[in-house]
Amino acid sequence: MRERGSANEAMLTREQAQAIVEKAVKWSKADAVDVQVNTYTQGNIRFADNQVSTAGATTDAQLGIQSAFGAKHAVVTTNDLSDEAIKRAVDQSERLARLAPDDPESMPQLGSQQYAPVTSYFEASAALTADDRAKAALIALEMARKAGDVKAAGYLVNTAGALAIGNSTGMFAYHRSTNVNYTLTARTADGTGSGWAAADHADWAQIDARRVAETAIAKARLSQKPVALEPGRYTVILEPQAVGDIVQLISNYADARSADEGRSPFVKQGGGNKVGEKIVDERVTIFSDPADPQLNGRPWDFEGMPLGRQVWIEKGVLKQLIYSRFWAKKHGKTPTGGPSTFKMAGGTQSVEDLIKGTTRGILVTRLWYLREVDPRTILYTGLTRDGTFLVENGTITKSLRNFRFNESPLFLLNNIEALGRPERLAGTEQGGDVVMPSIKARDFNFTSLSEAV
């Protein structure tokens, strides 16, 4: 197992990455060449049934060369960064590009760009060792063993990497980043209780492994022997993870082209889109911002477009949609780039505060197995999981069997009663850097019961 310092040894420096781009450009005979090089190291530990099951580390490199002749282009990838491999990838991509059909939406390359600096790399995360990961896992394992009636299963992974892109017209971008992701599920021995908790951050110093373990185990015990509650529309308190599971779906439908072509919930009746219209509660503001300290995102997209703060929904009003370079040019708009961060602003209350202020409602830890029902309204179906509870007069009174639900993030965000503090999420189906608040909302649509724990 590699020890401290190995992450920096595995990652290319800016100068090394730029040298690879320059070699590919020098050896290219194509009209245009684009290069992407990613080097990283990743360590992990996995445990289940109250014991460690696997642990390991990976160091790798990925090089992509895209060559273009007019509107024809093709990509070749390799994990060999030697001069011979770079030359071979350039040659192969050129031969394939000549055989490719014309791309009617091909765009000219970007020239040199300016990118705002973003701190996404933390030495504490890059220097994490096998011993460090094992100690974090042992906190949960020892707590579960001591409890006697709980089984813990979890996965902790830390990544440190350097990503660079460049092309034959002078664009070059480089970004170092780290990330630690820790997810933990605790199950009771009788098979009736399940609890989940997680943490994610670029900085290992911000990960509280003990709090993750305490939360998951406490929820597992609290959720034992759940009772059935008649499905229907209820006031709901969604923890930040559950909010992210459904609200982040909005980003999948925020493409301007889909709206302009009539394939989006943001289509305006009679033509056009709903930009400038109020679509959700006025307390809702959703934005992307790589420099936000809770997001720590990459300040450019994979075409090299600079990314800054972009507001999608402000005080309930749809402010803008996502424009690709091609669609922006076709419609005389400014391209937005492809954002990878997504944050919903919130309030100052904790989940506990939202519970205390609820006469009767359902507390949901997270959502699972979401599947599209109606793209016109972003209506999805899915299941609650790992801790669903009845709240009465400001306290949790019962563990509930899980529900199936049919709900849209747009419906949810129009029924808000209160917002909690925003938190960075550790597990979303969409991926990326996501921050969401807890939400208390009325009329959440639980359609049936689920036998799953």
Side-chain angles (χ1 to χ4, degrees):
M1 182 68 67
R2 292 175 177 265
E3 291 299 323
R4 296 184 185 274
S6 61
N8 288 327
E9 294 168 9
M11 293 187 302
L12 293 182
T13 64
R14 173 182 289 273
E15 292 72 22
Q16 290 170 326
Q18 193 157 16
I20 289 176
V21 172
E22 291 171 352
K23 288 176 183 178
V25 170
K26 176 183 176 181
W27 294 327
S28 172
K29 300 180 181 63
D31 296 339
V33 61
D34 291 90
V35 183
Q36 178 179 309
V37 57
N38 182 24
T39 53
Y40 66 92
T41 184
Q42 187 177 84
N44 67 81
I45 188 166
R46 190 188 304 272
F47 53 95
D49 197 25
N50 287 355
Q51 58 186 335
V52 173
S53 54
T54 62
T58 301
T59 297
D60 203 358
Q62 297 170 348
L63 173 67
I65 305 288
Q66 175 176 275
S67 294
F69 294 94
K72 301 177 183 291
H73 55 81
V75 178
V76 167
T77 62
T78 178
N79 65 351
D80 186 346
L81 302 185
S82 67
D83 285 358
E84 293 76 11
I86 298 171
K87 289 180 181 178
R88 185 165 56 248
V90 169
D91 179 64
Q92 289 176 342
S93 64
E94 289 176 356
R95 287 190 282 115
L96 290 171
R98 293 183 186 278
L99 299 173
D102 284 357
D103 178 359
E105 299 183 9
S106 65
M107 292 292 293
Q109 293 176 309
L110 290 172
S112 179
Q113 305 288 312
Q114 295 294 318
Y115 306 110
V118 173
T119 301
S120 302
Y121 181 91
F122 293 84
E123 189 60 36
S125 301
L128 209 62
T129 66
D131 285 346
D132 295 327
R133 293 187 291 271
K135 288 175 182 177
L138 279 172
I139 293 173
L141 294 174
E142 290 175 352
M143 289 178 65
R145 292 166 184 166
K146 184 177 180 180
D149 61 344
V150 176
K151 299 290 186 180
Y155 184 60
L156 190 155
V157 57
N158 67 293
T159 306
L163 177 65
I165 58 173
N167 65 24
S168 46
T169 55
M171 185 275 291
F172 179 78
Y174 175 88
H175 184 65
R176 290 198 314 166
S177 64
T178 53
N179 182 258
V180 182
N181 184 280
Y182 181 30
T183 57
L184 174 65
T185 300
R187 292 286 180 97
T188 57
D190 64 4
T192 67
S194 181
W196 182 90
D200 182 282
H201 205 278
D203 184 4
W204 169 245
Q206 303 301 316
I207 302 292
D208 188 342
R210 182 166 298 278
R211 182 173 179 271
V212 170
E214 289 172 347
T215 301
I217 291 172
K219 280 205 169 186
R221 288 178 139 180
L222 189 62
S223 64
Q224 283 181 282
K225 297 179 173 57
V227 299
L229 185 67
E230 186 70 21
R233 293 187 178 274
Y234 289 88
T235 293
V236 70
I237 300 168
L238 300 179
E239 295 195 9
Q241 183 64 51
V243 174
D245 291 332
I246 188 167
V247 169
Q248 195 193 4
L249 295 169
I250 292 173
S251 65
N252 294 346
Y253 297 82
D255 176 58
R257 181 172 186 170
S258 296
D260 293 340
E261 293 179 344
R263 300 180 287 108
S264 163
F266 303 117
V267 174
K268 188 174 183 178
Q269 192 168 6
N273 59 53
K274 294 182 179 179
V275 171
E277 294 187 8
K278 185 175 182 293
I279 61 170
V280 290
D281 188 282
E282 63 187 14
R283 285 168 285 186
V284 175
T285 293
I286 295 175
F287 61 93
S288 299
D289 186 359
D292 186 288
Q294 283 188 297
L295 291 169
N296 304 110
R298 190 181 63 251
W300 40 267
D301 72 4
F302 285 102
E303 286 189 284
M305 284 282 296
L307 299 176
R309 180 180 171 87
Q310 297 169 300
V311 179
W312 311 109
I313 298 173
E314 185 174 37
K315 296 182 179 179
V317 176
L318 181 64
K319 299 298 290 185
Q320 63 174 330
L321 296 169
I322 298 172
Y323 276 88
S324 68
R325 291 175 62 217
F326 169 77
W327 203 248
K329 180 180 179 181
K330 185 172 182 176
H331 290 269
K333 302 288 187 178
T334 301
T336 62
S340 62
T341 61
F342 196 68
K343 179 174 179 176
M344 178 175 164
T348 60
Q349 296 185 84
S350 66
V351 173
E352 290 73 22
D353 292 331
L354 298 182
I355 292 171
K356 290 176 183 177
T358 301
T359 302
R360 192 168 191 268
I362 295 174
L363 172 65
V364 177
T365 299
R366 64 174 181 145
L367 306 176
W368 182 254
Y369 207 68
L370 278 75
R371 294 296 181 266
E372 185 181 68
V373 175
D374 183 0
R376 295 170 299 177
T377 58
I378 322 183
L379 183 65
Y380 272 69
T381 188
L383 304 171
T384 65
R385 187 174 184 178
D386 296 320
T388 305
F389 306 97
L390 180 64
V391 175
E392 295 177 295
N393 298 318
T395 62
I396 294 174
T397 58
K398 295 177 183 176
S399 169
L400 298 177
R401 282 173 53 187
N402 284 308
F403 293 97
R404 175 169 289 280
F405 65 87
N406 275 27
E407 194 57 81
S408 162
L410 297 179
F411 302 165
L412 172 70
L413 297 181
N414 269 296
N415 290 330
I416 290 175
E417 292 190 353
L419 293 175
R421 287 193 295 264
E423 296 181 13
R424 184 179 171 98
L425 305 187
T428 63
E429 290 190 6
Q430 313 307 309
D433 301 308
V434 182
V435 172
M436 289 285 151
S438 50
I439 287 179
K440 178 181 174 181
R442 60 188 176 274
D443 294 332
F444 195 88
N445 188 21
F446 294 109
T447 57
S448 62
L449 295 172
S450 170
E451 295 296 332
V453 176

